[in-house]
Amino acid sequence: MSFPSGSGRSGASAPTTTGAPMTATDVTGARTSEAAGVITGARDRIDALDDRIIGLIQERIAVSAVIQEARITSGGRRVNLSREMEILDHYRQALGRPGTSLALTLLELCRGRI
């Protein structure tokens, strides 16, 4: 699906099933052009935040690799389960139960191949 310019997505307006170009209200599901503008602006912000989050996760993966290498080189285990439990608890306290799922995914990404 294409989004209007300025939405953080590329492409021109796609035609609807009737062949007419899609409007901002069609794309956003809003019922007014004012609401569509708000949604489009908020989506731009979410896209920018997602890009930053992805960059931070990539940075975290790199830092985790350094830690794992140092631990393995010193004769330790690759994964420190007590540290992982601290991380799980931190995310759960900050974000509730869904935070635990997020932390598990993050830890899986940062462990690399086991």
Side-chain angles (χ1 to χ4, degrees):
M1 174 177 282
S2 296
F3 296 84
S5 62
S7 69
R9 307 285 185 201
S10 61
S13 295
T16 62
T17 55
T18 63
M22 293 182 74
T23 65
T25 54
D26 294 330
V27 173
T28 63
R31 297 194 182 243
T32 66
S33 58
E34 180 180 302
V38 169
I39 291 168
T40 299
R43 285 180 177 174
D44 286 345
R45 182 74 177 127
I46 286 174
D47 290 344
L49 289 167
D50 285 343
D51 288 343
R52 287 175 47 200
I53 291 166
I54 290 167
L56 289 169
I57 291 169
Q58 290 169 332
E59 183 179 349
R60 191 186 193 289
I61 291 168
V63 172
S64 291
V66 169
I67 292 168
Q68 289 173 28
E69 179 65 28
R71 193 180 301 118
I72 292 168
T73 301
S74 72
R77 295 179 53 140
R78 185 163 185 251
V79 175
N80 182 335
L81 295 178
S82 63
R83 174 63 178 149
E84 288 194 358
M85 294 306 293
E86 289 175 15
I87 293 165
L88 290 169
D89 188 54
H90 179 71
Y91 274 74
R92 183 191 52 76
Q93 287 184 24
L95 302 172
R97 198 166 127 191
T100 303
S101 297
L102 178 61
L104 284 168
T105 300
L106 186 59
L107 290 169
E108 181 180 357
L109 285 167
C110 291
R111 280 188 206 119
R113 292 191 175 151
I114 295 180

